[in-house]
Amino acid sequence: MKLIDFQKATDGLRQEAKALYFGSFPPEERRAWEEIPFAEDYFSFSLVVDDEEQHLIGFISLWNFGSYSYVEHFAVNPAMRGRGTGSRILGLVEGNLVLEVEPEDANDMAPRRIGFYRRNGFSLLDADYVQPPYSAGLPSLPLKLMSRGELPDIDRVISTLHQRVYNAD
């Protein structure tokens, strides 16, 4: 398994990734496809593919903020789930990471997701956090932050996410 840049992938793999994106995240947890900053230096949307680059295993999108990266979206092909695939993908990503998760009491999947990230070296941060809406008409979401590695001051991280990722104040 390896990571390849979305823009360098075949049309077929890009279409599979787009379908996985829309199938994995509800509208309030994703941006419009045409608003994903694929061409920006600070952003990467990597497809996880088999070694022959024939099959989509998943994808991960990252915002690079220098000393850490924000995992905006991470999804594994449903046919590949439950086999350690997600852990292997996270093992391909180097550096300090921060990501959002639903609070443990949000739904039945939230504790499992938090447990998955904990098993992969992430810690739940003790900070109040609300994800601003991706676009007008969508709700903001009370979420939690998790991190792997060293982060700057959490208030600075939250401010950076709100300003750079969500274009909110």
Side-chain angles (χ1 to χ4, degrees):
M1 141 176 23
K2 63 183 179 179
L3 299 174
I4 61 169
D5 184 88
F6 177 85
Q7 296 188 103
K8 295 178 181 174
T10 65
D11 287 341
L13 287 173
R14 287 196 302 258
Q15 288 305 313
E16 284 183 60
K18 184 177 180 180
L20 180 59
Y21 178 78
F22 283 101
S24 298
F25 302 98
E28 61 273 11
E29 294 180 18
R30 67 175 188 244
R31 64 184 67 248
W33 188 255
E34 58 277 359
E35 293 176 7
I36 297 174
F38 292 110
E40 298 296 334
D41 290 342
Y42 57 82
F43 181 82
S44 66
F45 194 106
S46 298
L47 303 187
V48 184
V49 297
D50 63 345
D51 290 333
E52 291 79 36
E53 299 183 17
Q54 298 294 309
H55 302 284
L56 180 72
I57 296 169
F59 67 79
I60 190 164
S61 65
L62 301 166
W63 292 69
N64 182 343
F65 296 122
S67 63
Y68 68 97
S69 293
Y70 164 65
V71 179
E72 184 174 25
H73 292 102
F74 172 46
V76 175
N77 183 326
M80 302 294 293
R81 292 180 186 156
R83 304 182 202 173
T85 305
S87 294
R88 288 196 313 275
I89 292 169
L90 286 175
L92 297 173
V93 181
E94 297 178 359
N96 302 321
L97 300 174
V98 64
L99 53 80
E100 301 164 339
V101 292
E102 295 167 310
E104 287 185 278
D105 60 357
N107 57 54
D108 291 343
M109 282 300 298
R112 290 182 61 201
R113 194 169 289 117
I114 289 170
F116 164 78
Y117 286 118
R118 281 186 169 137
R119 287 188 303 279
N120 284 281
F122 286 80
S123 300
L124 201 56
L125 301 178
D126 185 24
D128 292 327
Y129 180 75
V130 175
Q131 175 195 290
Y134 270 109
S135 61
L138 293 176
S140 57
L141 299 173
L143 298 175
K144 298 301 267 179
L145 293 173
M146 295 188 80
S147 68
R148 180 183 80 186
E150 303 262 339
L151 290 181
D153 174 70
I154 190 61
D155 292 330
R156 196 169 105 206
V157 169
I158 292 170
S159 176
T160 299
L161 293 179
H162 283 187
Q163 291 172 5
R164 302 271 310 275
V165 175
Y166 298 102
N167 296 315
D169 291 329

